Amino acid sequence: MAKNTSGRGQRDLKVKVKTARGRKLSSTRWLERQLNDPYVARAKRDGYRGRAAYKILELDDKYRFLVPGARVVDLGCAPGGWCQVAARRVNALGEKSGKAVGRIIGLDLQEMEPIAGCELYQLDFMEDGADDKVKGWLDGKADVVMSDMAASASGHKQTDHLRIMALCEAAAELAFDVLEPGGTFVAKVLAGGAEGSLQQTLKQRFKKVANVKPGASRADSSEKFVVATGFKG
């Protein structure tokens, strides 16, 4: 439903969703937000599996860690937008003539549809021996470990914060074991107080640690991304 709000003949094309019987108000609001999200529409046009692809695109544009030839591990990779971006940028399909060919290892608890140039495994990265499996699949160590994981929302802000920080800390521990010296760790965190200890640890293990909120992150979200570069080994 369109309505004129500018007074100059331009129209606001915001879609309004009516509350359906059996649908919660929160679900209606989520659907309305999705329908009006420019990044959702853009992802459909560009062939990405989700709007999160633009977060890693922006982070890589700034820090340049997805270079041709890089070996990348994507933790909690479903639905696969980050893998899609990484595959193109590290030249996993060998489409960039004269450039090194990279590799993408994607891990998730759920089975995923294949992604060109990516090796996808159904695996809990926190289980014993997961790091050894990753190094075996790569036949060595990784240049980048990245994670856009989020725990299932409980509706309690502090609980959700602690859950995602626990995931992020586990991802960092795996990164410490599988990264090459000089490697990069990228992960989503939520602002909320418990991220301080992780930041301190990362600063001890990496040369530089930055905190970034990409433009593709929703304004009302407390999410940000930590980008740690120059792993000391």
Side-chain angles (χ1 to χ4, degrees):
M1 184 182 297
K3 59 181 180 180
N4 190 336
T5 59
S6 67
R8 296 193 296 270
Q10 295 180 344
R11 295 190 302 170
D12 177 5
L13 299 179
K14 185 174 181 180
V15 177
K16 294 291 186 181
V17 178
K18 294 182 179 180
T19 302
R21 180 178 295 177
R23 183 196 295 151
K24 294 180 180 179
L25 179 59
S26 60
S27 298
T28 298
R29 288 174 175 168
W30 179 88
L31 179 58
E32 187 172 280
R33 184 172 66 175
Q34 288 292 102
L35 291 171
N36 290 287
D37 190 324
Y39 286 102
V40 172
R42 186 177 169 188
K44 291 180 180 178
R45 292 195 303 268
D46 294 346
Y48 290 124
R49 294 188 179 183
R51 68 189 305 286
Y54 299 101
K55 301 174 188 178
I56 195 64
L57 279 165
E58 185 175 335
L59 293 172
D60 186 54
D61 283 345
K62 186 171 184 177
Y63 295 100
R64 302 291 183 183
F65 47 87
L66 295 176
V67 298
R71 294 156 297 174
V72 180
V73 178
D74 186 3
L75 303 176
C77 60
W82 279 31
C83 279
Q84 289 177 297
V85 170
R88 296 176 184 178
R89 295 213 164 183
V90 307
N91 195 30
L93 288 170
E95 297 173 328
K96 300 176 182 178
S97 179
K99 299 287 187 180
V101 177
R103 292 185 65 191
I104 310 295
I105 300 291
L107 308 180
D108 202 275
L109 291 174
Q110 59 182 293
E111 189 175 358
M112 289 177 57
E113 289 294 321
I115 298 174
C118 301
E119 302 164 50
L120 305 178
Y121 297 92
Q122 191 172 4
L123 176 73
D124 182 350
F125 81 94
M126 290 191 286
E127 72 178 35
D128 290 342
D131 50 351
D132 291 327
K133 288 181 179 179
V134 168
K135 287 183 285 188
W137 292 326
L138 283 175
D139 194 24
K141 292 196 171 186
D143 300 298
V144 179
V145 172
M146 58 188 194
S147 165
D148 188 34
M149 291 184 294
S152 299
S154 68
H156 184 268
K157 186 175 181 180
Q158 186 61 20
T159 298
D160 292 340
H161 172 67
L162 293 173
R163 285 178 175 177
I164 195 171
M165 289 311 305
L167 278 176
C168 192
E169 289 169 359
E173 288 298 326
L174 183 135
F176 299 155
D177 193 45
V178 306
L179 275 178
E180 288 276 17
T184 298
F185 175 65
V186 181
K188 175 163 66 182
V189 299
L190 293 182
E195 68 272 20
S197 60
L198 174 66
Q199 297 280 339
Q200 184 177 4
T201 301
L202 293 178
K203 288 176 181 178
Q204 293 170 350
R205 305 298 295 270
F206 292 84
K207 292 181 179 178
K208 293 183 179 181
V209 178
N211 293 279
V212 186
K213 187 176 179 70
S217 290
R218 291 189 171 99
D220 61 353
S221 170
S222 61
E223 76 172 16
K224 59 183 179 180
F225 290 83
V226 58
V227 182
T229 56
F231 180 56
K232 297 176 183 179

